Amino acid sequence: MTADRTPLSRTDLAGLLTEAAQSVSAILTAEYPTAPSRSYLHPVLGMLAAGPRVVGELNDRLEEFVAAEPRPTTPAGLFTLASYAATLGWLTESLAELTTAVDRICTRAGIPTEPRDPAVTTPDDNEFDFSFNALELAAIRTAAEAAGLAPDDYVAVLAESLLAASRVTDACIEISSSLLEDAVYVLDEATDHISAGDGPGSLPTLVRSLLARMEAAE
């Protein structure tokens, strides 16, 4: 973007939202090399590495969008701005929760534990229900040995890692699909006069989702 431009068309605005959706989706496929001693972190390391970069890129684009002249003042422009801002807030919160989860996993993995029953157990919260065959148990014991953990502790931290990854995956899918829905809404309007009233049609998809969750929690 340049510092002096004509107002963005609805096609341009929809393109901004679509690009943001693609950036968020890319978090889910990011890879990061995982040492055998930290194999239980493999489900989250790619997300942990890519997430902050995506947030930074989206923030830079948002700042350019707001700072460029003329600033967005049309209903379509303001709708796009609100969608983008909601995306940044939701994604930042999700990645903060991921960071907290990874810190908790690392702390748990680093605490010395006395050997317990040799049988492999699941995490205390029972978020996952695992059953393993002989080959899987052998692989778990090998991975646990490389990580310096008892097999049941290894399964516990791996399950926490999988759960954290699942939560970020759900968030990224919702964010990405919401951005694409907003892009279609901006693009398909017959004119630039997108509703700017108090009805649900004037709110980005993520904002409506948040409001629905708040109402359901009451």
PDB file of all heavy atoms in Angstrom, residues 114-154:
ATOM      1  N   GLU A 114       9.008 -39.722  40.592  1.00  0.00           N
ATOM      2  CA  GLU A 114       9.343 -41.093  40.963  1.00  0.00           C
ATOM      3  C   GLU A 114       8.624 -42.041  40.007  1.00  0.00           C
ATOM      4  O   GLU A 114       7.492 -41.783  39.601  1.00  0.00           O
ATOM      5  CB  GLU A 114       8.877 -41.374  42.402  1.00  0.00           C
ATOM      6  CG  GLU A 114       9.630 -40.559  43.448  1.00  0.00           C
ATOM      7  CD  GLU A 114      11.104 -40.916  43.479  1.00  0.00           C
ATOM      8  OE1 GLU A 114      11.436 -42.097  43.210  1.00  0.00           O
ATOM      9  OE2 GLU A 114      11.919 -40.026  43.746  1.00  0.00           O
ATOM     10  N   PRO A 115       9.278 -43.135  39.636  1.00  0.00           N
ATOM     11  CA  PRO A 115       8.615 -44.088  38.732  1.00  0.00           C
ATOM     12  C   PRO A 115       7.308 -44.577  39.352  1.00  0.00           C
ATOM     13  O   PRO A 115       7.259 -44.930  40.518  1.00  0.00           O
ATOM     14  CB  PRO A 115       9.625 -45.224  38.597  1.00  0.00           C
ATOM     15  CG  PRO A 115      10.933 -44.605  38.938  1.00  0.00           C
ATOM     16  CD  PRO A 115      10.638 -43.548  39.957  1.00  0.00           C
ATOM     17  N   ARG A 116       6.269 -44.539  38.529  1.00  0.00           N
ATOM     18  CA  ARG A 116       4.983 -45.034  39.004  1.00  0.00           C
ATOM     19  C   ARG A 116       4.713 -46.391  38.377  1.00  0.00           C
ATOM     20  O   ARG A 116       5.614 -47.047  37.889  1.00  0.00           O
ATOM     21  CB  ARG A 116       3.895 -44.017  38.630  1.00  0.00           C
ATOM     22  CG  ARG A 116       4.027 -42.712  39.376  1.00  0.00           C
ATOM     23  CD  ARG A 116       2.744 -41.918  39.254  1.00  0.00           C
ATOM     24  NE  ARG A 116       2.635 -41.279  37.943  1.00  0.00           N
ATOM     25  CZ  ARG A 116       2.907 -39.995  37.727  1.00  0.00           C
ATOM     26  NH1 ARG A 116       3.313 -39.230  38.729  1.00  0.00           N
ATOM     27  NH2 ARG A 116       2.802 -39.479  36.536  1.00  0.00           N
ATOM     28  N   ASP A 117       3.481 -46.785  38.397  1.00  0.00           N
ATOM     29  CA  ASP A 117       3.099 -48.060  37.795  1.00  0.00           C
ATOM     30  C   ASP A 117       3.567 -48.093  36.346  1.00  0.00           C
ATOM     31  O   ASP A 117       3.396 -47.133  35.612  1.00  0.00           O
ATOM     32  CB  ASP A 117       1.571 -48.191  37.838  1.00  0.00           C
ATOM     33  CG  ASP A 117       1.128 -49.593  37.465  1.00  0.00           C
ATOM     34  OD1 ASP A 117       1.442 -50.020  36.341  1.00  0.00           O
ATOM     35  OD2 ASP A 117       0.470 -50.228  38.294  1.00  0.00           O
ATOM     36  N   PRO A 118       4.205 -49.152  35.904  1.00  0.00           N
ATOM     37  CA  PRO A 118       4.723 -49.203  34.541  1.00  0.00           C
ATOM     38  C   PRO A 118       3.641 -49.062  33.471  1.00  0.00           C
ATOM     39  O   PRO A 118       3.939 -48.734  32.325  1.00  0.00           O
ATOM     40  CB  PRO A 118       5.386 -50.580  34.434  1.00  0.00           C
ATOM     41  CG  PRO A 118       5.261 -51.237  35.755  1.00  0.00           C
ATOM     42  CD  PRO A 118       4.461 -50.369  36.670  1.00  0.00           C
ATOM     43  N   ALA A 119       2.398 -49.341  33.834  1.00  0.00           N
ATOM     44  CA  ALA A 119       1.328 -49.213  32.843  1.00  0.00           C
ATOM     45  C   ALA A 119       1.189 -47.764  32.412  1.00  0.00           C
ATOM     46  O   ALA A 119       1.350 -46.850  33.209  1.00  0.00           O
ATOM     47  CB  ALA A 119       0.009 -49.708  33.435  1.00  0.00           C
ATOM     48  N   VAL A 120       0.886 -47.557  31.146  1.00  0.00           N
ATOM     49  CA  VAL A 120       0.729 -46.211  30.617  1.00  0.00           C
ATOM     50  C   VAL A 120      -0.647 -45.695  31.001  1.00  0.00           C
ATOM     51  O   VAL A 120      -1.652 -46.380  30.850  1.00  0.00           O
ATOM     52  CB  VAL A 120       0.890 -46.211  29.094  1.00  0.00           C
ATOM     53  CG1 VAL A 120       0.650 -44.816  28.526  1.00  0.00           C
ATOM     54  CG2 VAL A 120       2.277 -46.718  28.717  1.00  0.00           C
ATOM     55  N   THR A 121      -0.696 -44.473  31.518  1.00  0.00           N
ATOM     56  CA  THR A 121      -1.961 -43.867  31.924  1.00  0.00           C
ATOM     57  C   THR A 121      -2.208 -42.609  31.116  1.00  0.00           C
ATOM     58  O   THR A 121      -1.334 -42.119  30.419  1.00  0.00           O
ATOM     59  CB  THR A 121      -1.946 -43.507  33.422  1.00  0.00           C
ATOM     60  OG1 THR A 121      -0.890 -42.574  33.656  1.00  0.00           O
ATOM     61  CG2 THR A 121      -1.727 -44.750  34.261  1.00  0.00           C
ATOM     62  N   THR A 122      -3.388 -42.049  31.256  1.00  0.00           N
ATOM     63  CA  THR A 122      -3.766 -40.835  30.564  1.00  0.00           C
ATOM     64  C   THR A 122      -3.682 -39.663  31.496  1.00  0.00           C
ATOM     65  O   THR A 122      -3.563 -39.827  32.710  1.00  0.00           O
ATOM     66  CB  THR A 122      -5.202 -40.952  30.024  1.00  0.00           C
ATOM     67  OG1 THR A 122      -6.073 -41.169  31.132  1.00  0.00           O
ATOM     68  CG2 THR A 122      -5.330 -42.110  29.059  1.00  0.00           C
ATOM     69  N   PRO A 123      -3.775 -38.395  30.979  1.00  0.00           N
ATOM     70  CA  PRO A 123      -3.740 -37.230  31.840  1.00  0.00           C
ATOM     71  C   PRO A 123      -4.904 -37.229  32.821  1.00  0.00           C
ATOM     72  O   PRO A 123      -5.936 -37.859  32.601  1.00  0.00           O
ATOM     73  CB  PRO A 123      -3.858 -36.056  30.852  1.00  0.00           C
ATOM     74  CG  PRO A 123      -3.466 -36.626  29.539  1.00  0.00           C
ATOM     75  CD  PRO A 123      -3.838 -38.061  29.574  1.00  0.00           C
ATOM     76  N   ASP A 124      -4.727 -36.494  33.922  1.00  0.00           N
ATOM     77  CA  ASP A 124      -5.738 -36.454  34.967  1.00  0.00           C
ATOM     78  C   ASP A 124      -7.065 -35.906  34.470  1.00  0.00           C
ATOM     79  O   ASP A 124      -8.128 -36.283  34.966  1.00  0.00           O
ATOM     80  CB  ASP A 124      -5.245 -35.592  36.137  1.00  0.00           C
ATOM     81  CG  ASP A 124      -4.056 -36.234  36.836  1.00  0.00           C
ATOM     82  OD1 ASP A 124      -3.912 -37.469  36.703  1.00  0.00           O
ATOM     83  OD2 ASP A 124      -3.289 -35.506  37.490  1.00  0.00           O
ATOM     84  N   ASP A 125      -7.019 -34.961  33.486  1.00  0.00           N
ATOM     85  CA  ASP A 125      -8.272 -34.349  33.051  1.00  0.00           C
ATOM     86  C   ASP A 125      -9.080 -35.241  32.113  1.00  0.00           C
ATOM     87  O   ASP A 125     -10.222 -34.946  31.773  1.00  0.00           O
ATOM     88  CB  ASP A 125      -8.019 -32.999  32.375  1.00  0.00           C
ATOM     89  CG  ASP A 125      -7.072 -33.104  31.208  1.00  0.00           C
ATOM     90  OD1 ASP A 125      -6.850 -34.226  30.723  1.00  0.00           O
ATOM     91  OD2 ASP A 125      -6.559 -32.051  30.780  1.00  0.00           O
ATOM     92  N   ASN A 126      -8.472 -36.370  31.679  1.00  0.00           N
ATOM     93  CA  ASN A 126      -9.172 -37.332  30.832  1.00  0.00           C
ATOM     94  C   ASN A 126      -9.760 -36.701  29.565  1.00  0.00           C
ATOM     95  O   ASN A 126     -10.808 -37.121  29.065  1.00  0.00           O
ATOM     96  CB  ASN A 126     -10.286 -38.031  31.621  1.00  0.00           C
ATOM     97  CG  ASN A 126      -9.734 -38.979  32.671  1.00  0.00           C
ATOM     98  OD1 ASN A 126      -8.786 -39.700  32.422  1.00  0.00           O
ATOM     99  ND2 ASN A 126     -10.321 -38.946  33.864  1.00  0.00           N
ATOM    100  N   GLU A 127      -9.085 -35.674  29.034  1.00  0.00           N
ATOM    101  CA  GLU A 127      -9.540 -35.063  27.793  1.00  0.00           C
ATOM    102  C   GLU A 127      -9.407 -36.050  26.635  1.00  0.00           C
ATOM    103  O   GLU A 127     -10.143 -35.975  25.669  1.00  0.00           O
ATOM    104  CB  GLU A 127      -8.712 -33.806  27.497  1.00  0.00           C
ATOM    105  CG  GLU A 127      -8.929 -32.659  28.468  1.00  0.00           C
ATOM    106  CD  GLU A 127     -10.113 -31.806  28.083  1.00  0.00           C
ATOM    107  OE1 GLU A 127     -10.788 -32.156  27.102  1.00  0.00           O
ATOM    108  OE2 GLU A 127     -10.363 -30.808  28.768  1.00  0.00           O
ATOM    109  N   PHE A 128      -8.463 -36.968  26.745  1.00  0.00           N
ATOM    110  CA  PHE A 128      -8.262 -37.971  25.715  1.00  0.00           C
ATOM    111  C   PHE A 128      -8.393 -39.358  26.329  1.00  0.00           C
ATOM    112  O   PHE A 128      -8.033 -39.568  27.484  1.00  0.00           O
ATOM    113  CB  PHE A 128      -6.874 -37.839  25.080  1.00  0.00           C
ATOM    114  CG  PHE A 128      -6.704 -36.585  24.274  1.00  0.00           C
ATOM    115  CD1 PHE A 128      -6.242 -35.423  24.856  1.00  0.00           C
ATOM    116  CD2 PHE A 128      -7.012 -36.577  22.924  1.00  0.00           C
ATOM    117  CE1 PHE A 128      -6.081 -34.264  24.117  1.00  0.00           C
ATOM    118  CE2 PHE A 128      -6.858 -35.422  22.173  1.00  0.00           C
ATOM    119  CZ  PHE A 128      -6.386 -34.271  22.770  1.00  0.00           C
ATOM    120  N   ASP A 129      -8.893 -40.286  25.557  1.00  0.00           N
ATOM    121  CA  ASP A 129      -9.030 -41.663  26.014  1.00  0.00           C
ATOM    122  C   ASP A 129      -8.194 -42.532  25.093  1.00  0.00           C
ATOM    123  O   ASP A 129      -8.598 -42.845  23.981  1.00  0.00           O
ATOM    124  CB  ASP A 129     -10.506 -42.078  25.976  1.00  0.00           C
ATOM    125  CG  ASP A 129     -10.703 -43.488  26.517  1.00  0.00           C
ATOM    126  OD1 ASP A 129      -9.784 -43.997  27.177  1.00  0.00           O
ATOM    127  OD2 ASP A 129     -11.771 -44.069  26.257  1.00  0.00           O
ATOM    128  N   PHE A 130      -7.017 -42.917  25.569  1.00  0.00           N
ATOM    129  CA  PHE A 130      -6.082 -43.665  24.742  1.00  0.00           C
ATOM    130  C   PHE A 130      -6.116 -45.158  25.079  1.00  0.00           C
ATOM    131  O   PHE A 130      -6.288 -45.547  26.234  1.00  0.00           O
ATOM    132  CB  PHE A 130      -4.643 -43.180  24.961  1.00  0.00           C
ATOM    133  CG  PHE A 130      -4.389 -41.805  24.434  1.00  0.00           C
ATOM    134  CD1 PHE A 130      -4.070 -40.769  25.296  1.00  0.00           C
ATOM    135  CD2 PHE A 130      -4.456 -41.542  23.076  1.00  0.00           C
ATOM    136  CE1 PHE A 130      -3.824 -39.508  24.814  1.00  0.00           C
ATOM    137  CE2 PHE A 130      -4.204 -40.281  22.580  1.00  0.00           C
ATOM    138  CZ  PHE A 130      -3.887 -39.256  23.458  1.00  0.00           C
ATOM    139  N   SER A 131      -5.912 -45.961  24.081  1.00  0.00           N
ATOM    140  CA  SER A 131      -5.616 -47.375  24.275  1.00  0.00           C
ATOM    141  C   SER A 131      -4.550 -47.722  23.248  1.00  0.00           C
ATOM    142  O   SER A 131      -4.626 -47.281  22.101  1.00  0.00           O
ATOM    143  CB  SER A 131      -6.860 -48.239  24.066  1.00  0.00           C
ATOM    144  OG  SER A 131      -7.380 -48.069  22.772  1.00  0.00           O
ATOM    145  N   PHE A 132      -3.540 -48.471  23.663  1.00  0.00           N
ATOM    146  CA  PHE A 132      -2.384 -48.724  22.811  1.00  0.00           C
ATOM    147  C   PHE A 132      -2.176 -50.213  22.600  1.00  0.00           C
ATOM    148  O   PHE A 132      -2.391 -51.024  23.510  1.00  0.00           O
ATOM    149  CB  PHE A 132      -1.115 -48.128  23.453  1.00  0.00           C
ATOM    150  CG  PHE A 132      -1.209 -46.655  23.737  1.00  0.00           C
ATOM    151  CD1 PHE A 132      -1.373 -46.198  25.045  1.00  0.00           C
ATOM    152  CD2 PHE A 132      -1.137 -45.733  22.714  1.00  0.00           C
ATOM    153  CE1 PHE A 132      -1.458 -44.840  25.307  1.00  0.00           C
ATOM    154  CE2 PHE A 132      -1.225 -44.380  22.969  1.00  0.00           C
ATOM    155  CZ  PHE A 132      -1.386 -43.931  24.269  1.00  0.00           C
ATOM    156  N   ASN A 133      -1.725 -50.554  21.391  1.00  0.00           N
ATOM    157  CA  ASN A 133      -1.325 -51.934  21.151  1.00  0.00           C
ATOM    158  C   ASN A 133       0.150 -52.092  21.504  1.00  0.00           C
ATOM    159  O   ASN A 133       0.808 -51.141  21.924  1.00  0.00           O
ATOM    160  CB  ASN A 133      -1.609 -52.333  19.692  1.00  0.00           C
ATOM    161  CG  ASN A 133      -0.869 -51.438  18.698  1.00  0.00           C
ATOM    162  OD1 ASN A 133       0.268 -51.026  18.943  1.00  0.00           O
ATOM    163  ND2 ASN A 133      -1.514 -51.150  17.560  1.00  0.00           N
ATOM    164  N   ALA A 134       0.662 -53.293  21.309  1.00  0.00           N
ATOM    165  CA  ALA A 134       2.037 -53.579  21.734  1.00  0.00           C
ATOM    166  C   ALA A 134       3.059 -52.719  20.994  1.00  0.00           C
ATOM    167  O   ALA A 134       4.014 -52.218  21.606  1.00  0.00           O
ATOM    168  CB  ALA A 134       2.342 -55.064  21.526  1.00  0.00           C
ATOM    169  N   LEU A 135       2.870 -52.528  19.692  1.00  0.00           N
ATOM    170  CA  LEU A 135       3.814 -51.719  18.921  1.00  0.00           C
ATOM    171  C   LEU A 135       3.786 -50.262  19.380  1.00  0.00           C
ATOM    172  O   LEU A 135       4.832 -49.612  19.491  1.00  0.00           O
ATOM    173  CB  LEU A 135       3.480 -51.799  17.427  1.00  0.00           C
ATOM    174  CG  LEU A 135       3.790 -53.132  16.734  1.00  0.00           C
ATOM    175  CD1 LEU A 135       3.322 -53.099  15.286  1.00  0.00           C
ATOM    176  CD2 LEU A 135       5.282 -53.438  16.815  1.00  0.00           C
ATOM    177  N   GLU A 136       2.592 -49.751  19.649  1.00  0.00           N
ATOM    178  CA  GLU A 136       2.474 -48.365  20.110  1.00  0.00           C
ATOM    179  C   GLU A 136       3.097 -48.188  21.484  1.00  0.00           C
ATOM    180  O   GLU A 136       3.771 -47.183  21.753  1.00  0.00           O
ATOM    181  CB  GLU A 136       0.998 -47.954  20.133  1.00  0.00           C
ATOM    182  CG  GLU A 136       0.397 -47.821  18.735  1.00  0.00           C
ATOM    183  CD  GLU A 136      -1.111 -47.704  18.756  1.00  0.00           C
ATOM    184  OE1 GLU A 136      -1.731 -48.153  19.752  1.00  0.00           O
ATOM    185  OE2 GLU A 136      -1.661 -47.165  17.787  1.00  0.00           O
ATOM    186  N   LEU A 137       2.895 -49.170  22.347  1.00  0.00           N
ATOM    187  CA  LEU A 137       3.509 -49.087  23.681  1.00  0.00           C
ATOM    188  C   LEU A 137       5.028 -49.090  23.581  1.00  0.00           C
ATOM    189  O   LEU A 137       5.707 -48.351  24.308  1.00  0.00           O
ATOM    190  CB  LEU A 137       3.038 -50.261  24.546  1.00  0.00           C
ATOM    191  CG  LEU A 137       1.609 -50.190  25.078  1.00  0.00           C
ATOM    192  CD1 LEU A 137       1.219 -51.485  25.749  1.00  0.00           C
ATOM    193  CD2 LEU A 137       1.481 -49.022  26.051  1.00  0.00           C
ATOM    194  N   ALA A 138       5.566 -49.895  22.670  1.00  0.00           N
ATOM    195  CA  ALA A 138       7.017 -49.938  22.489  1.00  0.00           C
ATOM    196  C   ALA A 138       7.524 -48.589  21.979  1.00  0.00           C
ATOM    197  O   ALA A 138       8.565 -48.089  22.435  1.00  0.00           O
ATOM    198  CB  ALA A 138       7.387 -51.051  21.512  1.00  0.00           C
ATOM    199  N   ALA A 139       6.785 -47.975  21.044  1.00  0.00           N
ATOM    200  CA  ALA A 139       7.178 -46.667  20.524  1.00  0.00           C
ATOM    201  C   ALA A 139       7.112 -45.601  21.615  1.00  0.00           C
ATOM    202  O   ALA A 139       7.975 -44.724  21.698  1.00  0.00           O
ATOM    203  CB  ALA A 139       6.274 -46.287  19.359  1.00  0.00           C
ATOM    204  N   ILE A 140       6.107 -45.682  22.447  1.00  0.00           N
ATOM    205  CA  ILE A 140       5.969 -44.723  23.546  1.00  0.00           C
ATOM    206  C   ILE A 140       7.133 -44.862  24.525  1.00  0.00           C
ATOM    207  O   ILE A 140       7.706 -43.861  24.965  1.00  0.00           O
ATOM    208  CB  ILE A 140       4.623 -44.920  24.271  1.00  0.00           C
ATOM    209  CG1 ILE A 140       3.475 -44.433  23.387  1.00  0.00           C
ATOM    210  CG2 ILE A 140       4.599 -44.181  25.609  1.00  0.00           C
ATOM    211  CD1 ILE A 140       2.111 -44.791  23.904  1.00  0.00           C
ATOM    212  N   ARG A 141       7.461 -46.080  24.846  1.00  0.00           N
ATOM    213  CA  ARG A 141       8.574 -46.284  25.791  1.00  0.00           C
ATOM    214  C   ARG A 141       9.884 -45.758  25.195  1.00  0.00           C
ATOM    215  O   ARG A 141      10.699 -45.158  25.911  1.00  0.00           O
ATOM    216  CB  ARG A 141       8.687 -47.768  26.137  1.00  0.00           C
ATOM    217  CG  ARG A 141       7.511 -48.295  26.962  1.00  0.00           C
ATOM    218  CD  ARG A 141       7.784 -49.692  27.511  1.00  0.00           C
ATOM    219  NE  ARG A 141       6.665 -50.168  28.298  1.00  0.00           N
ATOM    220  CZ  ARG A 141       5.742 -51.026  27.874  1.00  0.00           C
ATOM    221  NH1 ARG A 141       5.819 -51.507  26.626  1.00  0.00           N
ATOM    222  NH2 ARG A 141       4.740 -51.410  28.649  1.00  0.00           N
ATOM    223  N   THR A 142      10.083 -45.961  23.899  1.00  0.00           N
ATOM    224  CA  THR A 142      11.290 -45.455  23.250  1.00  0.00           C
ATOM    225  C   THR A 142      11.320 -43.928  23.268  1.00  0.00           C
ATOM    226  O   THR A 142      12.343 -43.313  23.593  1.00  0.00           O
ATOM    227  CB  THR A 142      11.360 -45.949  21.793  1.00  0.00           C
ATOM    228  OG1 THR A 142      11.408 -47.377  21.781  1.00  0.00           O
ATOM    229  CG2 THR A 142      12.591 -45.404  21.090  1.00  0.00           C
ATOM    230  N   ALA A 143      10.193 -43.306  22.917  1.00  0.00           N
ATOM    231  CA  ALA A 143      10.119 -41.849  22.915  1.00  0.00           C
ATOM    232  C   ALA A 143      10.260 -41.292  24.321  1.00  0.00           C
ATOM    233  O   ALA A 143      10.927 -40.269  24.535  1.00  0.00           O
ATOM    234  CB  ALA A 143       8.789 -41.396  22.304  1.00  0.00           C
ATOM    235  N   ALA A 144       9.656 -41.955  25.287  1.00  0.00           N
ATOM    236  CA  ALA A 144       9.748 -41.499  26.670  1.00  0.00           C
ATOM    237  C   ALA A 144      11.182 -41.578  27.174  1.00  0.00           C
ATOM    238  O   ALA A 144      11.658 -40.674  27.874  1.00  0.00           O
ATOM    239  CB  ALA A 144       8.826 -42.339  27.556  1.00  0.00           C
ATOM    240  N   GLU A 145      11.869 -42.643  26.802  1.00  0.00           N
ATOM    241  CA  GLU A 145      13.267 -42.788  27.220  1.00  0.00           C
ATOM    242  C   GLU A 145      14.121 -41.673  26.619  1.00  0.00           C
ATOM    243  O   GLU A 145      14.979 -41.093  27.302  1.00  0.00           O
ATOM    244  CB  GLU A 145      13.800 -44.155  26.780  1.00  0.00           C
ATOM    245  CG  GLU A 145      15.227 -44.422  27.235  1.00  0.00           C
ATOM    246  CD  GLU A 145      15.715 -45.802  26.824  1.00  0.00           C
ATOM    247  OE1 GLU A 145      14.925 -46.557  26.221  1.00  0.00           O
ATOM    248  OE2 GLU A 145      16.884 -46.124  27.116  1.00  0.00           O
ATOM    249  N   ALA A 146      13.894 -41.340  25.356  1.00  0.00           N
ATOM    250  CA  ALA A 146      14.648 -40.266  24.715  1.00  0.00           C
ATOM    251  C   ALA A 146      14.358 -38.923  25.372  1.00  0.00           C
ATOM    252  O   ALA A 146      15.228 -38.041  25.422  1.00  0.00           O
ATOM    253  CB  ALA A 146      14.303 -40.200  23.228  1.00  0.00           C
ATOM    254  N   ALA A 147      13.138 -38.764  25.894  1.00  0.00           N
ATOM    255  CA  ALA A 147      12.757 -37.516  26.547  1.00  0.00           C
ATOM    256  C   ALA A 147      13.106 -37.492  28.029  1.00  0.00           C
ATOM    257  O   ALA A 147      12.919 -36.464  28.687  1.00  0.00           O
ATOM    258  CB  ALA A 147      11.267 -37.279  26.371  1.00  0.00           C
ATOM    259  N   GLY A 148      13.598 -38.603  28.540  1.00  0.00           N
ATOM    260  CA  GLY A 148      13.944 -38.665  29.953  1.00  0.00           C
ATOM    261  C   GLY A 148      12.733 -38.674  30.864  1.00  0.00           C
ATOM    262  O   GLY A 148      12.780 -38.167  31.991  1.00  0.00           O
ATOM    263  N   LEU A 149      11.636 -39.268  30.392  1.00  0.00           N
ATOM    264  CA  LEU A 149      10.401 -39.300  31.163  1.00  0.00           C
ATOM    265  C   LEU A 149       9.924 -40.735  31.323  1.00  0.00           C
ATOM    266  O   LEU A 149      10.230 -41.607  30.506  1.00  0.00           O
ATOM    267  CB  LEU A 149       9.300 -38.491  30.461  1.00  0.00           C
ATOM    268  CG  LEU A 149       9.523 -36.993  30.300  1.00  0.00           C
ATOM    269  CD1 LEU A 149       8.463 -36.413  29.377  1.00  0.00           C
ATOM    270  CD2 LEU A 149       9.504 -36.296  31.655  1.00  0.00           C
ATOM    271  N   ALA A 150       9.164 -40.963  32.395  1.00  0.00           N
ATOM    272  CA  ALA A 150       8.480 -42.244  32.536  1.00  0.00           C
ATOM    273  C   ALA A 150       7.398 -42.320  31.461  1.00  0.00           C
ATOM    274  O   ALA A 150       6.853 -41.291  31.049  1.00  0.00           O
ATOM    275  CB  ALA A 150       7.854 -42.352  33.924  1.00  0.00           C
ATOM    276  N   PRO A 151       7.050 -43.513  30.974  1.00  0.00           N
ATOM    277  CA  PRO A 151       6.061 -43.624  29.900  1.00  0.00           C
ATOM    278  C   PRO A 151       4.741 -42.932  30.220  1.00  0.00           C
ATOM    279  O   PRO A 151       4.164 -42.272  29.343  1.00  0.00           O
ATOM    280  CB  PRO A 151       5.879 -45.134  29.748  1.00  0.00           C
ATOM    281  CG  PRO A 151       7.201 -45.698  30.150  1.00  0.00           C
ATOM    282  CD  PRO A 151       7.662 -44.827  31.292  1.00  0.00           C
ATOM    283  N   ASP A 152       4.239 -43.082  31.452  1.00  0.00           N
ATOM    284  CA  ASP A 152       2.960 -42.449  31.763  1.00  0.00           C
ATOM    285  C   ASP A 152       3.082 -40.929  31.781  1.00  0.00           C
ATOM    286  O   ASP A 152       2.169 -40.206  31.356  1.00  0.00           O
ATOM    287  CB  ASP A 152       2.383 -42.973  33.081  1.00  0.00           C
ATOM    288  CG  ASP A 152       3.356 -42.857  34.240  1.00  0.00           C
ATOM    289  OD1 ASP A 152       4.555 -42.605  33.995  1.00  0.00           O
ATOM    290  OD2 ASP A 152       2.921 -43.018  35.392  1.00  0.00           O
ATOM    291  N   ASP A 153       4.219 -40.402  32.237  1.00  0.00           N
ATOM    292  CA  ASP A 153       4.430 -38.948  32.199  1.00  0.00           C
ATOM    293  C   ASP A 153       4.547 -38.458  30.762  1.00  0.00           C
ATOM    294  O   ASP A 153       4.074 -37.367  30.421  1.00  0.00           O
ATOM    295  CB  ASP A 153       5.692 -38.581  32.974  1.00  0.00           C
ATOM    296  CG  ASP A 153       5.538 -38.784  34.470  1.00  0.00           C
ATOM    297  OD1 ASP A 153       4.402 -38.642  34.967  1.00  0.00           O
ATOM    298  OD2 ASP A 153       6.544 -39.086  35.138  1.00  0.00           O
ATOM    299  N   TYR A 154       5.181 -39.253  29.921  1.00  0.00           N
ATOM    300  CA  TYR A 154       5.325 -38.870  28.519  1.00  0.00           C
ATOM    301  C   TYR A 154       3.956 -38.767  27.855  1.00  0.00           C
ATOM    302  O   TYR A 154       3.663 -37.800  27.140  1.00  0.00           O
ATOM    303  CB  TYR A 154       6.191 -39.888  27.778  1.00  0.00           C
ATOM    304  CG  TYR A 154       6.411 -39.531  26.326  1.00  0.00           C
ATOM    305  CD1 TYR A 154       7.444 -38.671  25.957  1.00  0.00           C
ATOM    306  CD2 TYR A 154       5.570 -40.027  25.335  1.00  0.00           C
ATOM    307  CE1 TYR A 154       7.638 -38.317  24.627  1.00  0.00           C
ATOM    308  CE2 TYR A 154       5.748 -39.682  24.011  1.00  0.00           C
ATOM    309  CZ  TYR A 154       6.783 -38.829  23.659  1.00  0.00           C
ATOM    310  OH  TYR A 154       6.961 -38.470  22.349  1.00  0.00           O
TER     311      TYR A 154
END
